[in-house]
């Protein structure tokens, strides 16, 4: 999985073990496999029907694959002949993702309509340009630190519900909601809609720098218990259009 390498490398440089999965399903064909309008009754609520269709897609193609990766890494942690033997703190596991990767994360941290989908091994979540549908109705079931980032030019996140600050009455603290200046949906994945990589010079790209800084501080605080990270998390940056947060639970 080659997306968001700038962030993965930054996390790895701080001692985090990064495991990433490449989902090989075709998003749209997979989604439309479940979208059979012959199953939709005119008396039903179309919004509820689409919620079910979307959740079925994630239940089939995304959530089990992400959990399988976590299972694999924890198995490697227990194998004496593994490169990762004893190297993973099983009480300090974070998860994150971009776009549908963020939705996959949401589905596993408590916002799925089926509470049995929650994976209690995950302790903190980073959501990059992540929509909330179909999981926005159960955001209040999440009881772990969340950091959500999106760009001010992200036309794909055009519903108010996709801005986590809009949902602040349902989001349990601690939470952090950042809007990065001059960033679009694909800034966070370091790609241009899959057409190519962001030009070299990440160290000079203020957008990627601020993503790294806040993501590292977030994980350092909640996975490493590094309270010095609160200094950064308690202030905004010129690279952000807005920053809303609540540190204390």
């Amino acid at each position: 999985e080659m997306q968001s390498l700038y962030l993965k490398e930054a996390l790895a440089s701080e001692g985090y073990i990064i495991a990433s999965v490449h989902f090989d399903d075709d998003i749209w064909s997979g989604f439309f496999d479940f979208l059979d309008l012959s199953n939709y009754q005119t008396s039903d609520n179309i919004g509820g029907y689409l919620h079910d269709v979307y959740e079925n897609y994630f239940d089939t193609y995304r959530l089990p694959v992400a959990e399988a990766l976590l299972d694999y890494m924890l198995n490697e942690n227990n194998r004496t002949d593994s490169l990762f033997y004893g190297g993973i703190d099983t009480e300090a596991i974070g998860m994150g993702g971009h776009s549908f990767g963020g939705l996959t994360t949401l589905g596993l941290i408590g916002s799925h309509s089926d509470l049995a989908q929650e994976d209690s091994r995950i302790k903190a979540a980073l959501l990059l340009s992540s929509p909330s549908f179909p999981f926005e109705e159960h955001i209040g079931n999440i009881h772990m630190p969340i950091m959500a980032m999106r760009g001010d030019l992200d036309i794909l996140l055009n519903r108010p519900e996709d801005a986590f600050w809009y949902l602040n009455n349902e989001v349990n603290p601690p939470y952090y909601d950042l809007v990065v200046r001059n960033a679009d949906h694909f800034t966070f994945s370091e790609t241009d809609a899959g057409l190519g990589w962001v030009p070299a010079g990440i160290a000079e790209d203020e957008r990627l720098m601020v993503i790294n800084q806040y993501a590292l501080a977030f994980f350092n605080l909640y996975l490493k218990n590094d309270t010095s990270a609160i200094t950064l998390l308690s202030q905004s940056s010129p690279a952000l259009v807005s920053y809303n947060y609540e540190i204390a639970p």
Side-chain angles (χ1 to χ4, degrees):
E1 224 307 328
M2 299 296 289
Q3 292 191 5
S4 304
L5 281 178
Y6 68 97
L7 177 57
K8 294 172 183 174
E9 291 178 351
L11 288 166
S13 72
E14 294 287 323
Y16 291 96
I17 295 174
I18 308 301
S20 184
V21 62
H22 177 75
F23 296 99
D24 60 5
D25 66 282
D26 184 300
I27 291 174
W28 295 115
S29 65
F31 173 73
F32 284 113
D33 282 346
F34 295 104
L35 188 59
D36 182 358
L37 291 179
S38 66
N39 294 329
Y40 171 67
Q41 304 298 317
T42 55
S43 60
D44 293 338
N45 179 284
I46 185 65
Y49 176 71
L50 291 176
H51 265 266
D52 291 343
V53 168
Y54 244 88
E55 279 200 343
N56 283 336
Y57 166 77
F58 280 93
D59 291 351
T60 302
Y61 293 109
R62 295 294 176 124
L63 306 189
V65 176
E67 285 209 300
L69 175 63
L70 181 51
D71 291 341
Y72 174 81
M73 292 303 298
L74 293 181
N75 182 61
E76 289 293 293
N77 192 51
N78 293 327
R79 286 182 45 222
T80 56
D81 60 341
S82 168
L83 174 66
F84 301 105
Y85 175 65
I88 299 174
D89 182 348
T90 59
E91 296 301 315
I93 295 174
M95 183 175 179
H98 169 256
S99 195
F100 268 34
L103 276 178
T104 302
T105 302
L106 278 174
L108 290 176
I109 63 174
S111 62
H112 196 288
S113 62
D114 178 5
L115 291 178
Q117 293 282 3
E118 182 178 358
D119 192 323
S120 60
R121 297 173 295 183
I122 303 166
K123 306 302 182 185
L126 176 65
L127 312 174
L128 304 176
S129 293
S130 174
S132 56
F133 184 89
F135 301 124
E136 80 277 12
E137 292 182 357
H138 303 283
I139 294 290
N141 291 335
I142 300 174
H143 296 280
M144 71 172 65
I146 301 175
M147 175 171 279
M149 300 188 191
R150 61 188 177 94
D152 61 338
L153 305 179
D154 192 342
I155 61 173
L156 296 182
L157 299 186
N158 55 13
R159 291 161 24 107
E161 295 90 336
D162 293 324
F164 274 79
W165 181 242
Y166 177 91
L167 298 170
N168 67 341
N169 289 330
E170 287 116 42
V171 179
N172 296 305
Y175 64 82
Y176 305 83
D177 185 77
L178 297 80
V179 179
V180 180
R181 190 180 306 279
N182 296 324
D184 61 27
H185 191 71
F186 300 99
T187 301
F188 296 85
S189 61
E190 200 185 359
T191 63
D192 178 16
L195 300 178
W197 299 104
V198 165
I202 291 171
E204 300 175 1
D205 190 325
E206 191 176 33
R207 303 167 304 170
L208 303 186
M209 288 174 61
V210 78
I211 293 168
N212 279 351
Q213 289 168 352
Y214 280 85
L216 280 168
F218 173 72
F219 281 136
N220 284 347
L221 177 58
Y222 293 106
L223 299 183
K224 291 186 176 182
N225 197 30
D226 179 3
T227 56
S228 68
I230 294 176
T231 300
L232 177 65
L233 293 173
S234 299
Q235 58 188 334
S236 187
S237 162
L240 301 177
V241 172
S242 67
Y243 179 42
N244 298 290
Y245 66 93
E246 187 171 347
I247 294 178

